[in-house]
Amino acid sequence: MSEEPATGRDRLAQIHDLIRERIMMLEYPPGERLSEAALAAEFGVSRTPLRRVLASLEDEGLLRSVHGVGTIVTDVDLEELAQVYRLRMELIVLIPRLDPLPVTTEVISGFRELHQRALALRHAPAARDFAALDRDMFLALNALSGNQPLRDTSERLYFRTARIWLQAITASDIDLENEAEIYCRETAEILAAVEALNLDALSHLRRAHIAMSFSRMR
Amino acid sequence: MSEEPATGRDRLAQIHDLIRERIMMLEYPPGERLSEAALAAEFGVSRTPLRRVLASLEDEGLLRSVHGVGTIVTDVDLEELAQVYRLRMELIVLIPRLDPLPVTTEVISGFRELHQRALALRHAPAARDFAALDRDMFLALNALSGNQPLRDTSERLYFRTARIWLQAITASDIDLENEAEIYCRETAEILAAVEALNLDALSHLRRAHIAMSFSRMR
DNA sequence: TAGGATTTGTGCGTATGTATT
DNA sequence: TAATACATACGCACAAATCCT
């Protein structure tokens, strides 16, 4: 009975996360023009509260509202992408140093599950599943720090550029099966680090993986 | 003739920065209830665009709108303050490592001017001038990196907690004259590092100064 | 070039929630 | 406890800007 209270503030937060998910999953690709009226109708709210959500997404750099034109999903140029990646690589290694949380058995089993998903993905590669897996991997790693500003910042940066990676995959600039193979090795390494309770190694592994991913993406 | 075009988007950005400044300078202290109608009247806009500004400030953690109560300036508890400071200290040292910008003679003279202001402050200590100086010092250091996400993140975090420092000063938990004395020494050190074109030393100096400032504030 | 269609931005009246008397 | 005052949240109508025919 935890579903559907969703009144007022919570409801708007759900809409925010849902639209963000659609942007990340390229359901709304860069350049797409969203309609305030259509979205408002879909979610059963008026334009006013919906615009509150779009304003947040605009502040996060995912949308750009232009008077008389529409609400457009932003694109990310290579330089901006590089800057975000460089910063994210530095923030990753802060996780074990800033208010690290205890690694419980639940945490470990969570990473074991992520690795299983990676193995399954290797046998049935799909770009969207890949993106969802990487997002959940990010969230799992991000949850290892108790530093709220760090978590908020990392999340903001992740969703700022995650769709570009999926876009590169989809555009076949990158070989999907090869990427899945690589990702399996990476999740295996990360799982080993978690099981060894070595967060420092874990964060540096992830940092290296992000760097390599960016290299292949260029 | 660069003033007062200020139509539409720019005007709202100005209002945003102005309200943020008032919050930081304790003109709107934590707990203060702002009136949408009063602010809208002051800036000559309707409540609707003003609420767009307040929404951004709420997303930045400076305000909290409560239905039926008002728009309240947030307070910052000690744990949140500590988390923000710990993260800021790590971001500072990234400035010379992530897309550092060339240190021009204009940059150096800018820091020289900041040091002069610190000297003047020592002879006429005033809490508000102190806060303004520290803000400009932050902005000057932040401008040394060309990494836009880093700059945006650092700015967000700075304004999240800057008012608490001023609040501690004003509440006489801290000796203002002593702080001014300390700040002069710090700006002298920072100026020397800038003149030596040593950004790495500069960032670690600032990091140490922030750490010490937090220690005295507790 | 001009005009109509469509979109976001704005203004305002009302609904809803909270606190106080 | 009830009523009053006052705040934000919401919905709608219109203004302003842009694009396309």
Side-chain angles (χ1 to χ4, degrees):
Chain A
M1 200 65 81
S2 64
E3 302 297 331
E4 295 302 325
T7 174
R9 217 177 198 76
D10 293 335
R11 176 68 179 145
L12 295 188
Q14 288 179 7
I15 295 174
H16 170 278
D17 290 351
L18 183 52
I19 295 177
R20 188 178 66 172
E21 169 102 358
R22 290 177 181 177
I23 292 173
M24 180 198 141
M25 289 298 187
L26 298 181
E27 190 171 341
Y28 299 148
E32 177 103 342
R33 285 191 359 215
L34 306 184
S35 166
E36 294 181 351
L39 289 171
E42 174 184 350
F43 297 117
V45 296
S46 172
R47 272 184 60 210
T48 305
L50 185 97
R51 279 174 58 81
R52 171 69 178 85
V53 172
L54 296 183
S56 290
L57 291 167
E58 185 171 9
D59 288 342
E60 292 165 19
L62 301 183
L63 295 177
R64 186 169 51 98
S65 286
V66 183
H67 192 179
V69 177
T71 303
I72 297 138
V73 178
T74 56
D75 203 348
V76 179
D77 63 51
L78 185 62
E79 178 55 21
E80 182 186 356
L81 185 67
Q83 289 190 349
V84 170
Y85 265 71
R86 281 195 282 271
L87 178 54
R88 280 191 57 211
M89 283 166 50
E90 300 300 330
L91 294 183
I92 288 280
V93 298
L94 294 182
I95 289 177
R97 291 173 47 201
L98 266 53
D99 312 288
L101 296 177
V103 178
T104 64
T105 55
E106 286 78 16
V107 170
I108 296 175
S109 65
F111 278 95
R112 198 167 287 131
E113 200 170 306
L114 287 168
H115 179 52
Q116 290 300 320
R117 283 171 61 186
L119 292 175
L121 191 66
R122 188 176 52 177
H123 293 99
R128 280 179 55 95
D129 294 343
F130 210 149
L133 174 60
D134 188 66
R135 178 204 55 202
D136 292 338
M137 174 63 78
F138 161 78
L139 291 174
L141 288 164
N142 207 35
L144 294 177
S145 172
N147 191 295
Q148 195 63 46
L150 174 60
R151 298 217 304 229
D152 292 344
T153 300
S154 298
E155 183 173 322
R156 203 180 171 85
L157 292 172
Y158 179 81
F159 284 100
R160 180 82 172 267
T161 57
R163 62 218 149 101
I164 307 305
W165 176 81
L166 176 57
Q167 203 173 25
I169 292 271
T170 307
S172 295
D173 293 347
I174 302 177
D175 177 33
L176 184 56
E177 294 193 4
N178 185 39
E179 284 293 316
E181 197 74 37
I182 292 170
Y183 209 82
C184 278
R185 290 205 305 270
E186 293 178 347
T187 56
E189 284 187 292
I190 282 178
L191 178 58
V194 170
E195 288 176 334
L197 304 180
N198 193 331
L199 288 190
D200 185 69
L202 170 63
S203 67
H204 280 85
L205 282 171
R206 174 71 174 176
R207 186 196 152 118
H209 297 160
I210 290 177
M212 292 297 292
S213 171
F214 181 69
S215 294
R216 293 193 301 274
M217 189 163 50
R218 287 193 68 175
Chain B
M1 201 65 78
S2 65
E3 301 296 330
E4 295 302 324
T7 174
R9 216 176 199 77
D10 293 335
R11 176 68 179 146
L12 295 187
Q14 288 179 7
I15 295 174
H16 169 279
D17 291 350
L18 184 51
I19 295 177
R20 187 178 67 171
E21 169 102 359
R22 289 178 182 176
I23 292 172
M24 180 198 141
M25 287 299 186
L26 299 181
E27 191 172 340
Y28 300 147
E32 176 103 341
R33 286 187 1 210
L34 306 185
S35 166
E36 293 180 352
L39 288 172
E42 175 185 349
F43 297 117
V45 296
S46 173
R47 276 184 56 212
T48 305
L50 185 96
R51 280 174 58 81
R52 170 67 176 87
V53 172
L54 296 183
S56 290
L57 291 167
E58 186 171 8
D59 288 343
E60 292 165 18
L62 301 183
L63 295 177
R64 185 171 52 97
S65 285
V66 182
H67 192 178
V69 177
T71 303
I72 297 140
V73 178
T74 55
D75 203 349
V76 180
D77 63 49
L78 185 62
E79 177 57 21
E80 182 186 357
L81 185 67
Q83 289 190 348
V84 170
Y85 265 70
R86 281 195 283 271
L87 178 53
R88 281 190 56 212
M89 283 166 50
E90 301 299 332
L91 294 183
I92 288 280
V93 298
L94 294 182
I95 289 177
R97 291 172 46 201
L98 266 53
D99 312 288
L101 296 177
V103 178
T104 64
T105 55
E106 287 78 16
V107 169
I108 296 175
S109 64
F111 278 94
R112 197 167 286 132
E113 199 170 307
L114 287 169
H115 180 52
Q116 290 300 322
R117 282 171 62 186
L119 293 175
L121 192 64
R122 188 176 51 177
H123 293 99
R128 280 179 56 94
D129 294 343
F130 210 149
L133 174 59
D134 187 67
R135 179 205 54 202
D136 292 338
M137 175 63 77
F138 161 78
L139 291 174
L141 288 164
N142 206 35
L144 294 177
S145 172
N147 191 296
Q148 196 64 45
L150 174 60
R151 299 215 305 227
D152 293 344
T153 300
S154 298
E155 183 173 323
R156 203 181 171 84
L157 292 171
Y158 179 81
F159 284 100
R160 179 84 172 269
T161 58
R163 63 219 150 100
I164 307 305
W165 177 81
L166 177 56
Q167 202 174 27
I169 291 271
T170 307
S172 294
D173 293 347
I174 303 177
D175 178 31
L176 184 56
E177 294 193 6
N178 184 40
E179 285 293 317
E181 197 75 35
I182 293 170
Y183 209 82
C184 278
R185 291 204 306 269
E186 293 178 348
T187 55
E189 284 187 293
I190 283 179
L191 177 58
V194 170
E195 288 176 335
L197 303 181
N198 192 333
L199 288 190
D200 185 69
L202 170 63
S203 66
H204 281 84
L205 282 172
R206 175 71 174 177
R207 185 195 153 119
H209 297 161
I210 291 177
M212 292 298 292
S213 171
F214 182 69
S215 295
R216 293 193 300 275
M217 189 162 52
R218 288 195 64 177

